[in-house]
Amino acid sequence: MRQRAMWSAVLVVGLALAGCGSASDSGKSTSSDGKLVVWDWKSGEPFAKSYLDKAKADFKKKHSDVEVEFVAQPFDQYYTLLGAAIQSGKGPDVMLFNGGGQIRDRVDALVPLNDYVTEDKQRLAGWEAFTKDAKIYASPVTLQGYPIYYNKAIYQKANLDPASPATTWDKFTADCTAIAKAGAKCFALGNKEGVGIQFWLSSLGSTTLTAQEYDAWITGKRDWQSPNVKRLFQLWKEAGDKKMNSDGANSTAMFNDSFALFQSGKAAHVMGLMSDVGHWQDFNEFLTPEKLGVMKAPIVTAGTTPSLPYDGGIGYAVAKWTKDPKMAADLVRSLSSADALKAFYADAGAIAADTTIDVSQAGPAVATLVSELKSGKPALHVALSSKTLDLMGRLSQQLLSGSITVDEVVKQLAASDQAG
Amino acid sequence: MSRVRLGWWLIAIPMSLLALATIYPLLFTANVAMKTRRDYILDRFSLTDALRWENISTAWNSVGMGRYFVNSLLVVTASVLLLLLLGSMAGFALSQLRFRGSSALFLGCLAGLFIPFQVVMVPLARIMADTALIDTYPGLVLVYVAQFLPFTVFLMTSYYKGIPPEIVDAARIDGSTVYGVYRRIMLPLGTPALLSVGILNALFCWNDVLMALVMMPSAEHRTLMVGVTSLRGQYSDNIPTFASGVLIAAIPVLLVYLFLQRQIADGVAAGSTKG
């Protein structure tokens, strides 16, 4: 009797699976069937709703008979999943990418958008992060930068002037000593995943490298043996040795634990973001806009001029296997339309790629950030390949723990960088 | 203090600490699931001041966990039934039937234990796409069966090796076919091992994220664990909602463990002793 029941169960499940197996195939490209599938990691979040609604409405005006389905994938596995989709040649029509190495490593699977986005070129900023060999592969949605935020309340407690943060590295370290005496840490640092060094490199890059070195770095001509490049890594180590960082940086996640340290007033500075989280809107909520400051990087190398490091943050791209690239490109354009980006700025607090959006109501920190966009430069770490960034993350942990020298670090990074 | 009492304390204290260390992550998750985002950011270790069930309902509703729950149940049930069927057949054949190459076949099955999914992921995704099995329930069931069959075969073979071959011989002399021996003798005798290995496989399949994510990329076919991970974006910082999702996904596993812990322990030890 029991065996009969088991065989029946097998049969029932088998039949059920056979029926379910033919369920809709929303993971696959279906643009010719009146449907576009988009993969991202944003659409599931409540703050993205109005942004997507505006983008869909804009797209509907051009293609009223086409359905758009957004599939929010878990970010932790997003690029693994994308890799499998690219290898199998089947996946979404449109997909979200981070600017820099993540998209440049996968351009073989993408459609160049140059011919489709001509009208948007002037209105949007941040294209470089989605460009390879003069071909544009995604339209920017946000700008992502790496400003140094500071807590004015801690400055006051340490008897420092919140209106004039340090402009040189020596003055800055002296301020950090005062901050330590006041009971706070100088930097909120999370380097568990090795991401901390990336923000460090980009935040301090413009005041450590000369203008020529900086430009050469961005164009790929990186001199890893330059004293100024080495200085960036020495400063990283010095900050750790002088206990300027929050405790246990190598075991603290940047997202979102190090930002929580800053938000809760345990550290005076954080190298944060302009969009997503760990940015002005999050910090405003905890510190209030009046207490949140944004400072220029302190000058490490005499003669350098601080500039805001930023690039295109995230952007949507079109997959090569899509059946109607023009239609998919239209959707990408809708996702970067002015109305949609305005909603994204308002709800998510992102500095949108459309710099004409009025941000005057967002508080002084945003006003400072936006005013610095014009003189800003691409971030140093975004120019590196994801492989070199991974290596840098691991080496930065060893630097903090004291198990490797700066010379060895730059040697290994140079080898990885040259290997491409 | 008597020597016996001292001995009891020497065992009880470390064991209690071990139990606390084991259960703490669950308690921490439950505590975080009841907090507001603000409370979590300001002090994640403090006890919650109220039971906020809205985090649970947000997690449940925001990614359609009801559907994912059914998907998981369907896929896990089918996978486990197939694993038990194939594993017990293979275990019976490899342990009781004498045929040339059986040892090599067993070693071949064991080799599968040492291949992590990440190694075969890309070619497998390609094959599944070529055969139109990607993003289908049977496709994921096949992947689970392929991935966990070596473990099942290993355990069932070890278990069946403990059954005296004379029973099989006697049944054959009485005129039973090989299939009859399997169905009438080996399956009933293997019930304890089948139960244990079934529970373990169900836990493996239920807790899997990577295979389910790669093989079922569309939103409606997701399993529960993939649904939970999708509650976290790149920088998403609503940890209380995420913790609520983790809690929802953990409850079935906890229930299985609470009610069937003896069988799980037996399953791990199956075949380690004869008799």
Side-chain angles (χ1 to χ4, degrees):
Chain A
M1 185 67 193
R2 200 190 314 163
Q3 285 166 21
R4 218 175 318 171
M6 189 183 128
W7 289 114
S8 306
V10 171
L11 193 65
V12 167
V13 170
L15 287 172
L17 284 175
C20 295
S22 58
S24 90
D25 53 353
S26 57
K28 298 165 199 156
S29 172
T30 49
S31 56
S32 67
D33 308 328
K35 184 174 172 185
L36 285 173
V37 177
V38 185
W39 280 7
D40 63 15
W41 60 89
K42 289 278 174 204
S43 54
E45 310 209 31
F47 60 71
K49 191 181 177 306
S50 58
Y51 161 64
L52 293 182
D53 286 346
K54 299 267 185 199
K56 280 179 187 172
D58 186 76
F59 182 71
K60 204 88 185 159
K61 281 185 223 159
K62 296 174 235 171
H63 302 278
S64 57
D65 54 339
V66 178
E67 185 196 339
V68 181
E69 184 189 1
F70 284 85
V71 183
Q73 305 287 10
F75 182 76
D76 290 353
Q77 303 290 343
Y78 184 75
Y79 288 105
T80 306
L81 180 61
L82 218 49
I86 288 169
Q87 285 297 323
S88 61
K90 290 192 178 176
D93 303 280
V94 172
M95 43 200 156
L96 186 63
F97 276 100
N98 293 103
Q102 296 290 18
I103 190 165
R104 289 194 189 113
D105 291 351
R106 295 170 176 86
V107 293
D108 289 347
L110 304 175
V111 176
L113 299 178
N114 298 51
D115 296 340
Y116 302 111
V117 296
T118 320
E119 284 177 50
D120 302 330
K121 284 298 293 289
Q122 290 305 314
R123 184 174 56 86
L124 301 174
W127 294 97
E128 295 79 8
F130 303 106
T131 303
K132 188 177 182 183
D133 300 332
K135 288 180 183 164
I136 296 166
Y137 289 95
S139 277
V141 171
T142 64
L143 298 178
Q144 191 58 282
Y146 309 89
I148 302 174
Y149 294 97
Y150 67 101
N151 183 335
K152 292 181 181 176
I154 295 180
Y155 266 56
Q156 277 166 340
K157 203 173 161 194
N159 290 321
L160 302 171
D161 181 4
S164 354
T167 53
T168 65
W169 183 256
D170 288 341
K171 172 76 171 59
F172 183 76
T173 50
D175 287 357
C176 286
T177 307
I179 287 165
K181 280 181 188 158
K185 285 290 182 181
C186 188
F187 281 117
L189 178 64
N191 198 44
K192 188 180 178 185
E193 300 87 358
V195 181
I197 185 83
Q198 298 177 21
F199 286 31
W200 179 274
L201 193 72
S202 290
S203 293
L204 295 176
S206 66
T207 54
T208 308
L209 304 188
T210 63
Q212 291 83 357
E213 282 176 327
Y214 200 105
D215 294 342
W217 178 290
I218 299 300
T219 55
K221 292 167 193 152
R222 290 177 272 275
D223 178 7
W224 290 92
Q225 292 304 321
S226 144
N228 287 336
V229 171
K230 284 188 184 179
R231 185 84 180 107
L232 277 166
F233 293 93
Q234 278 157 357
L235 290 177
W236 170 263
K237 185 169 162 46
E238 279 171 33
D241 291 346
K242 288 180 180 170
K243 309 220 176 294
M244 289 161 71
N245 301 322
S246 44
D247 295 334
N250 271 348
S251 54
T252 304
M254 174 174 275
F255 303 99
N256 294 291
D257 296 354
S258 73
F259 297 136
L261 288 171
F262 179 70
Q263 280 165 301
S264 56
K266 294 186 177 83
H269 305 89
V270 72
M271 289 165 173
L273 295 165
M274 293 185 344
S275 301
D276 299 298
V277 295
H279 68 326
W280 61 276
Q281 196 181 55
D282 281 345
F283 300 152
N284 275 353
E285 183 188 339
F286 286 82
L287 305 182
T288 72
E290 294 70 37
K291 298 287 181 194
L292 179 67
V294 183
M295 63 184 283
K296 290 183 176 173
I299 291 171
V300 178
T301 305
T304 55
T305 310
S307 62
L308 176 71
Y310 80 95
D311 294 273
I314 52 172
Y316 285 94
V318 173
K320 210 166 213 172
W321 52 75
T322 192
K323 288 165 187 163
D324 189 342
K326 161 104 181 42
M327 187 196 288
D330 280 345
L331 178 58
V332 168
R333 291 195 63 212
S334 292
L335 286 159
S336 299
S337 64
D339 275 356
L341 294 187
K342 210 178 285 175
F344 201 46
Y345 152 74
D347 292 354
I351 302 291
D354 187 338
T355 53
T356 61
I357 293 172
D358 178 18
V359 295
S360 56
Q361 301 303 310
V366 177
T368 308
L369 288 174
V370 172
S371 70
E372 287 178 11
L373 285 175
K374 272 193 183 146
S375 59
K377 285 184 172 184
L380 293 184
H381 77 268
V382 178
L384 299 174
S385 70
S386 42
K387 203 172 128 196
T388 303
L389 284 176
D390 284 346
L391 175 66
M392 194 164 72
R394 292 195 297 278
L395 295 173
S396 73
Q397 290 165 335
Q398 294 174 37
L399 260 183
L400 274 188
S401 67
S403 59
I404 198 167
T405 63
V406 169
D407 284 341
E408 182 57 30
V409 166
V410 290
K411 194 176 149 195
Q412 287 193 38
L413 288 173
S416 170
D417 194 28
Q418 277 156 17
Chain B
M1 193 183 288
S2 73
R3 192 179 285 180
V4 176
R5 201 168 168 77
L6 181 69
W8 186 87
W9 279 110
L10 284 176
I11 293 169
I13 292 171
M15 293 305 282
S16 303
L17 290 174
L18 194 65
L20 192 67
T22 308
I23 204 167
Y24 179 72
L26 186 67
L27 296 177
F28 179 79
T29 307
N31 187 46
V32 170
M34 296 295 139
K35 286 188 164 196
T36 63
R37 177 177 164 270
R38 187 181 179 84
D39 287 346
Y40 172 78
I41 287 174
L42 289 177
D43 188 358
R44 69 195 56 181
F45 295 107
S46 66
L47 282 175
T48 180
D49 56 356
L51 297 177
R52 294 185 181 83
W53 300 106
E54 62 268 23
N55 286 337
I56 302 273
S57 62
T58 304
W60 180 268
N61 294 323
S62 61
V63 291
M65 281 209 182
R67 167 149 200 154
Y68 299 162
F69 196 92
V70 174
N71 289 349
S72 277
L73 211 59
L74 194 68
V75 169
V76 171
T77 307
S79 303
V80 170
L81 286 176
L82 258 177
L83 278 164
L84 292 182
L85 182 70
L86 297 176
S88 60
M89 280 179 164
F92 162 56
L94 290 169
S95 63
Q96 297 287 340
L97 303 182
R98 294 164 203 106
F99 59 94
R100 192 178 290 176
S102 63
S103 299
L105 202 59
F106 182 60
L107 286 175
C109 279
L110 283 192
L113 280 171
F114 303 103
I115 303 172
F117 178 70
Q118 285 86 342
V119 174
V120 296
M121 185 178 77
V122 169
L124 190 61
R126 207 170 186 150
I127 292 167
M128 299 299 266
D130 290 344
T131 51
L133 278 168
I134 205 157
D135 211 21
T136 64
Y137 296 104
L140 183 60
V141 169
L142 279 179
V143 170
Y144 279 154
V145 170
Q147 190 67 20
F148 299 124
L149 194 59
F151 169 75
T152 313
V153 170
F154 170 68
L155 268 152
M156 291 312 298
T157 306
S158 303
Y159 184 82
Y160 280 141
K161 270 184 182 166
I163 292 173
E166 289 78 11
I167 295 177
V168 179
D169 292 341
R172 296 300 302 274
I173 290 165
D174 286 345
S176 179
T177 61
V178 171
Y179 176 72
V181 173
Y182 165 73
R183 198 164 62 87
R184 294 196 184 90
I185 300 173
M186 284 299 160
L187 262 186
L189 281 178
T191 306
L194 284 171
L195 196 59
S196 306
V197 82
I199 294 164
L200 288 173
N201 277 325
L203 291 178
F204 294 154
C205 296
W206 187 271
N207 288 331
D208 166 65
V209 173
L210 191 57
M211 286 181 253
L213 180 71
V214 172
M215 295 302 155
M216 304 280 257
S218 73
E220 76 229 62
H221 292 165
R222 273 182 183 155
T223 57
L224 187 62
M225 285 299 171
V226 178
V228 170
T229 55
S230 67
L231 282 169
R232 268 200 96 178
Q234 181 184 9
Y235 307 115
S236 172
D237 65 343
N238 201 334
I239 303 297
T241 308
F242 181 65
S244 301
V246 171
L247 212 56
I248 292 169
I251 284 169
V253 178
L254 284 172
L255 289 176
V256 167
Y257 182 75
L258 279 176
F259 290 109
L260 300 169
Q261 52 181 299
R262 171 65 59 89
Q263 281 79 4
I264 293 171
D266 288 351
V268 174
S272 61
T273 54
K274 288 212 166 200

